[in-house]
Amino acid sequence: MLGIVLGLILLMYLAYRGWSIIWVAPITAGVVAIFGGLDLLDAYKNTYMEGFVNFAKLWFPVFMLGAIFGKLMEDTGSASSVASMITKVIGKQRAILGVIVACAVLTYGGVSLFVVVFAVYPLAIALFREANITRRLIPGTVALGAFTFTMTAVPGTPQIQNLIPTEYYGTTAMAAPFMGIIAALVMGVGGYVYLTWREKQTRAAGEFYTEPKDQDIKEIDEAKLPNPILSFLPLIAVIFTLNVFNWDIVVSLITGILMIIAFNYKMIKKFTDSVNKGASGSVIAIVNTSAAVGFGAVVRAVPGFEKLTDFVMGIQGSPLISQAVAINILAGSTGSASGGMGIALEALGDRYMQLSAQTGIDPEAFHRVASIASGGLDTLPHNGAVLTLLTITGMSHKDSYKDIFVVGCAIPVLSVIVAIIVGSIGII
């Protein structure tokens, strides 16, 4: 048990310091192995790498195709076109809501969080300038739209955080729709109310929009953007084929990619570069998550794991509570929603499936709670998406992290509590 605790603390500390989990995870897994009495080399070459490779084998196609889909949406201007259309409909007087909805639509359509940040930021600048709202609220606004309810709670989302539980619980992306919608409302409405309150607070304090320094923000030339309706169709296609036709996510993403290419055939010379960059970017993402899962495989192999399991399973109340606690802690430790969930479900998924049969709680409820819980404490200061968001917007943790924490950590944790209450009474 001591080795597991020390390994987790070391993993969290080094991740917080900005060290790559690709090499930090095997080192911290080595700490767990030594204290657990395992042969160090065998633990790395076999136990750790088996966990790593099995996850990569299962999910690499989804990571790669998702990244290519997002990169094509970005490079063709389709993502900007969709976001621009949405903000026009909502109106510049509701700048915060416009940015949230634009981010949410792109994320729910399968575009990666990182691409959404790049695509929406120029629009956010234009809207916040027009509404005279301080730029320090942009990171929190983007985080609410991209990092929360459409990533984990809204039924049918093709984001990886909603797909991983399907392998452990035999469910689909539409699992526990009522629980998901309730949690999404808590996150979406709660976050929006908070941000509008913060807008009034900053205005009262005399904070208004100021032009960013040392940033080359490219103005979006709407005349050069592709047709917004055609740009929107690939997003619809991914969601529709995944949830209505029940196609495999790989086929759904390929469908979306082919539609982007067909609708933007005049840009065919740029497609090779976009596909190359998307595929290259996906490698880092899948390796990061696989490294975290490999750490979990070593944890599962040591004798102390049984004590850890007894501790987690011993948490009073519904087993949904213990699952949410375990995933939140591990997501916070790794700074990764998918990584934390991967560790937890790889180690405890079988146990929770057994508990589902014993308690009568539908596996769909376990799926939805796992997904929502992964998007709670993952958004701590060392989270990669948070660091990227602050870098792109030119803000510091001091400037904007408080708002990111409220909409990306505090309210999502509250939403999983609500989801557990709903799921425990059999409404899924």
Side-chain angles (χ1 to χ4, degrees):
M1 275 293 291
L2 178 61
I4 295 173
V5 172
L6 287 176
L8 278 172
I9 291 174
L10 186 60
L11 181 66
M12 182 174 179
Y13 173 74
L14 295 178
Y16 180 78
R17 293 294 299 247
W19 295 13
S20 172
I21 197 170
I22 295 174
W23 64 273
V24 164
I27 289 176
T28 52
V31 172
V32 176
I34 290 171
F35 277 81
L38 303 182
D39 178 84
L40 187 59
L41 189 59
D42 181 68
Y44 174 66
K45 293 179 67 176
N46 292 306
T47 309
Y48 176 87
M49 287 309 301
E50 282 176 7
F52 183 108
V53 170
N54 287 340
F55 186 88
K57 175 184 176 182
L58 188 62
W59 292 108
F60 179 68
V62 179
F63 274 80
M64 182 185 68
L65 292 170
I68 291 172
F69 177 76
K71 191 61 180 171
L72 286 170
M73 284 289 295
E74 178 186 12
D75 289 354
T76 59
S78 299
S80 296
S81 181
V82 170
S84 180
M85 176 184 67
I86 291 168
T87 54
K88 278 184 179 179
V89 171
I90 293 176
K92 294 182 178 179
Q93 68 274 18
R94 291 183 289 274
I96 290 176
L97 181 60
V99 173
I100 292 171
V101 174
C103 291
V105 168
L106 291 173
T107 309
Y108 189 66
V111 180
S112 75
L113 315 182
F114 296 95
V115 170
V116 171
V117 173
F118 282 99
V120 172
Y121 179 54
L123 287 168
I125 283 289
L127 289 171
F128 275 57
R129 181 191 293 120
E130 182 75 17
N132 200 21
I133 302 173
T134 175
R135 286 186 302 111
R136 69 188 297 181
L137 294 183
I138 291 179
T141 304
V142 173
L144 175 59
F147 299 175
T148 61
F149 56 98
T150 49
M151 184 180 83
T152 63
V154 182
T157 176
Q159 295 296 329
I160 194 70
Q161 292 80 4
N162 185 46
L163 298 177
I164 290 175
T166 63
E167 291 296 323
Y168 297 92
Y169 297 125
T171 48
T172 69
M174 286 294 293
F178 189 79
M179 290 172 65
I181 291 170
I182 292 296
L185 288 172
V186 172
M187 284 186 258
V189 176
Y192 180 61
V193 169
Y194 168 79
L195 288 171
T196 52
W197 172 77
R198 281 284 289 144
E199 179 192 349
K200 294 176 182 176
Q201 187 185 50
T202 55
R203 286 188 185 278
E207 290 186 57
F208 300 100
Y209 181 86
T210 56
E211 290 295 337
K213 298 178 181 179
D214 303 322
Q215 278 192 309
D216 181 21
I217 301 172
K218 296 181 180 179
E219 294 290 334
I220 295 177
D221 186 352
E222 295 187 10
K224 295 182 179 180
L225 292 178
N227 183 287
I229 302 301
L230 292 181
S231 298
F232 194 65
L233 287 178
L235 304 178
I236 296 295
V238 172
I239 296 299
F240 194 80
T241 56
L242 175 66
N243 297 295
V244 178
F245 293 163
N246 292 319
W247 289 3
D248 189 282
I249 182 61
V250 169
V251 182
S252 296
L253 288 170
I254 290 174
T255 301
I257 289 169
L258 293 176
M259 289 180 71
I260 298 172
I261 293 173
F263 294 154
N264 298 275
Y265 66 92
K266 292 181 180 179
M267 303 176 65
I268 193 168
K269 292 182 179 179
K270 296 183 179 180
F271 290 158
T272 300
D273 186 56
S274 298
V275 172
N276 286 345
K277 289 181 178 178
S280 297
S282 71
V283 173
I284 296 297
I286 187 67
V287 169
N288 279 336
T289 306
S290 297
V293 173
F295 173 87
V298 175
V299 169
R300 187 177 184 178
V302 298
F305 174 70
E306 289 300 324
K307 294 185 181 295
L308 177 63
T309 302
D310 291 342
F311 169 75
V312 172
M313 297 299 184
I315 295 175
Q316 296 298 311
S318 167
L320 297 174
I321 298 174
S322 65
Q323 180 187 235
V325 171
I327 291 176
N328 256 303
I329 291 174
L330 291 167
S333 299
T334 60
S336 167
S338 56
M341 187 199 304
I343 293 173
L345 295 185
E346 181 67 23
L348 301 170
D350 291 343
R351 298 289 186 97
Y352 284 119
M353 196 61 181
Q354 293 172 9
L355 283 172
S356 172
Q358 293 170 7
T359 61
I361 299 175
D362 197 298
E364 290 194 14
F366 282 94
H367 170 131
R368 187 55 55 202
V369 168
S371 182
I372 299 169
S374 74
L377 296 183
D378 71 309
T379 320
L380 290 176
H382 59 292
N383 174 272
V386 169
L387 296 174
T388 299
L389 176 58
L390 292 174
T391 300
I392 297 303
T393 57
M395 294 288 120
S396 66
H397 281 80
K398 182 179 179 181
D399 293 327
S400 301
Y401 182 70
K402 178 177 76 172
D403 301 319
I404 295 174
F405 177 81
V406 172
V407 303
C409 279
I411 295 177
V413 168
L414 174 62
S415 76
V416 80
I417 294 172
V418 174
I420 289 171
I421 293 172
V422 172
S424 296
I425 59 177
I427 303 175
I428 64 169

